[in-house]
Structures are given as C-alpha cells and as structure tokens.
C-alpha cells in the first residue's frame, strides 16, 4: 500500500504537522524555561542583597544654622532604627560607662546591622569615641557591635529635640537635633 505524500514518514494514526507543532512547543518551552532561569538569579540576588546584614561603615556630623546633624553611613540598606533617650551611656556587653561629658544622652540602635564582615574584619571606619563642639551635639561613641545590633551613643548639654530620616544612594541614617538659629 502506498500512503499519500502528506502521511509518509509519520506514525499510523498521527495527523500531518503534529510533529512540527510538538517541536515548536518544545522549543517554546525551552526558551521560556531559559528566560525564567535567567530571571530567577536576578530576583534571587535582589532578595539576597536585601536579606544580607547591612554594614555600618562610618559616622559623621556637621553643624548647621538651626540643627546639628549626625549621619550613620551603611552598606546595603538602612535597617530598623530605635532612638531613645537614656540616663547614661554604657558599652554593650560590659556595661562600662562611656566617657562622654553631657547631661542628656540618646542611644541609637540599628538592627539587623554589623560593623564587621562575615570573616570578623572590622568595616566600621568612623570614630569609636569622639568629643564634638557643636551647638547641641557634644559627643558620639560606638557603644556596641554585637549579635546583629550596632549601637551608638550621643551626648548633649541640654535636652535634645530630634528627628530621624533615611536617605539613599548612598544609604544612610540621619539624626537632626534642633537648636536656636546661630547664623
């Protein structure tokens, strides 16, 4: 028996063009899978970058006409921050008093955060203990870097009125302390 030309080479019971449709479907599936595979690492990298512990790399300050500013620079993202008035400053872990002169103190706690990398190398390049001569801000200290918390202390002669802001590119936490106009 001679088969018609369109059915030659195909299996009995199969329709013409079915093989071509199957190949197109397989090729399309392969392309979609490849596209998904290429897209997953990018989203996974974004998730990993966000989930990696942010690193505290510096602290700096400046005086302005109506406020003093403390800036904490980070690598990664700005984590949760708690700023609390405290009666005195102590070093985390030891509980030893921080030798900063002042009558009022703020504790600035970042979590999750670290001042060191995964190998234990220090990445924080800012001051550990610094006397400052601004209108309100009189000193800062790095008081802790332990188990996912980085803590700073700030000293003042008078009760501080403050606000915090998160700024990006580069990532940083800003603490502004209001004072009367000195300009």
């Amino acid at each position: 028996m001679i088969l018609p030309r369109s059915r030659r080479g195909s299996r009995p019971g199969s329709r013409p063009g079915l093989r071509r449709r199957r190949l197109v479907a397989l090729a399309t599936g392969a392309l979609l899978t490849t596209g998904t595979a290429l897209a997953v690492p990018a989203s996974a990298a974004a998730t990993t970058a966000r989930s990696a512990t942010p690193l505290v790399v510096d602290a700096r300050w400046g005086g302005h006409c109506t406020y003093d500013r403390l800036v904490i620079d980070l690598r990664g993202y700005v984590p949760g921050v708690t700023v609390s008035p405290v009666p005195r400053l102590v070093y985390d872990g030891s509980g030893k008093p921080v030798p900063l002169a002042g009558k009022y103190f703020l504790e600035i706690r970042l979590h999750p955060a670290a001042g060191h990398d995964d190998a234990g190398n220090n990445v924080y390049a800012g001051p550990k203990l610094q006397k400052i001569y601004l209108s309100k801000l009189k000193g800062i200290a790095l008081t802790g870097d332990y188990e996912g918390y980085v803590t700073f202390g700030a000293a003042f002669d008078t009760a501080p009125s403050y606000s915090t802001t998160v700024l990006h590119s580069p990532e940083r936490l800003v603490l502004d302390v209001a004072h009367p106009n000195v300009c």
Side-chain angles (χ1 to χ4, degrees), residues 3-11 14-18:
L3 295 173
R5 185 167 244 260
S6 64
R7 296 192 42 107
R8 282 186 202 159
S10 61
R11 284 180 268 159
S14 67
R15 295 187 319 254
L18 181 61

Side-chain angles (χ1 to χ4, degrees), residues 10-183:
S10 61
R11 284 180 268 159
S14 67
R15 295 187 319 254
L18 181 61
R19 185 173 185 173
R20 179 181 295 159
R21 284 192 299 253
R22 284 182 181 164
L23 285 174
V24 169
L26 284 172
T28 303
L31 287 173
L32 288 174
T33 302
T34 304
T36 304
L38 292 174
V40 169
S43 63
T47 302
T48 302
R50 178 69 179 171
S51 65
T53 302
L55 300 176
V56 178
V57 296
D58 200 4
R60 52 198 167 91
W61 56 91
H64 301 273
C65 290
T66 58
Y67 62 94
D68 292 341
R69 176 169 279 185
L70 173 63
V71 178
I72 298 172
D73 295 312
L74 294 113
R75 188 178 315 143
Y77 63 95
V78 177
V81 177
T82 305
V83 180
S84 308
V86 293
R88 62 188 179 95
L89 295 175
V90 296
Y91 288 107
D92 291 351
S94 72
K96 292 181 180 179
V98 176
L100 277 180
K103 296 178 184 171
Y104 299 89
F105 305 97
L106 291 178
E107 180 182 76
I108 304 148
R109 185 172 291 255
L110 297 95
H111 175 72
H116 58 279
D117 61 19
D118 290 338
N121 300 313
N122 192 18
V123 296
Y124 177 70
K128 305 257 195 260
L129 180 67
Q130 182 69 48
K131 195 176 227 184
I132 300 170
Y133 301 96
L134 295 176
S135 295
K136 277 285 194 175
L137 184 61
K138 300 303 176 187
I140 64 165
L142 174 66
T143 59
D145 176 13
Y146 185 66
E147 292 189 352
Y149 290 88
V150 173
T151 311
F152 289 89
F156 308 89
D157 285 340
T158 59
S161 173
Y162 60 90
S163 65
T164 59
T165 308
V166 172
L167 298 176
H168 305 284
S169 297
E171 299 300 305
R172 58 209 184 274
L173 169 72
V174 175
L175 176 80
D176 287 333
V177 183
H179 60 70
N181 194 335
V182 294
C183 292

